[in-house]
Amino acid sequence: MSWRDIADVAGLVALLLGALLCLAAALGLLRFPDLLTRMHAATKPQVLGVLLVVLGIGLRGRSSLDIGMLALVVVFQLLTIPAGAHLVSRAGLRTGQVAPADIHVGPRSRPNPSR
């Protein structure tokens, strides 16, 4: 088995896993009830799914021009998806789609009484 065969099999596996994650994201958009859970379903598995698809294409393509273009796709995905999700969540909060009680920021730090 040569390096090309191993890369082809790894590329096919990455393509399959990426497609399954994108499918899971689409099903989450259809099934989840509110804005925040839909936004989570649209961003988390979708980004990983697209990255796996790009990895699979890169392992199968092997051209330096193709790899460069795929790297640009990865960079733009990693820059735009979190920013878009942040803007959607802010718009949902401002328009009343998200109740302020639904947002959990974690435990608040209390001032140290010994200081």
Side-chain angles (χ1 to χ4, degrees):
M1 201 172 216
S2 69
W3 162 248
R4 278 187 164 310
D5 295 336
I6 293 172
D8 284 342
V9 169
L12 287 173
V13 168
L15 280 169
L16 181 64
L17 289 175
L20 288 175
L21 277 171
C22 291
L23 177 66
L27 291 176
L29 283 174
L30 293 174
R31 302 235 347 139
F32 288 145
D34 60 345
L35 176 74
L36 293 179
T37 54
R38 285 183 182 172
M39 186 181 62
H40 179 78
T43 55
K44 300 294 182 184
Q46 182 66 29
V47 170
L48 183 58
V50 168
L51 292 179
L52 282 172
V53 167
V54 166
L55 176 67
I57 293 170
L59 286 172
R60 304 257 317 159
R62 299 184 192 93
S63 168
S64 61
L65 182 62
D66 293 338
I67 301 296
M69 288 299 212
L70 292 173
L72 284 174
V73 168
V74 166
V75 167
F76 287 131
Q77 285 288 313
L78 291 177
L79 289 176
T80 58
I81 295 292
H86 178 76
L87 292 175
V88 167
S89 65
R90 283 188 62 163
L93 182 64
R94 289 183 179 184
T95 59
Q97 298 291 322
V98 177
D102 290 342
I103 299 173
H104 305 285
V105 294
R108 297 189 183 241
S109 60
R110 289 186 229 151
N112 192 351
S114 64
R115 285 188 179 177

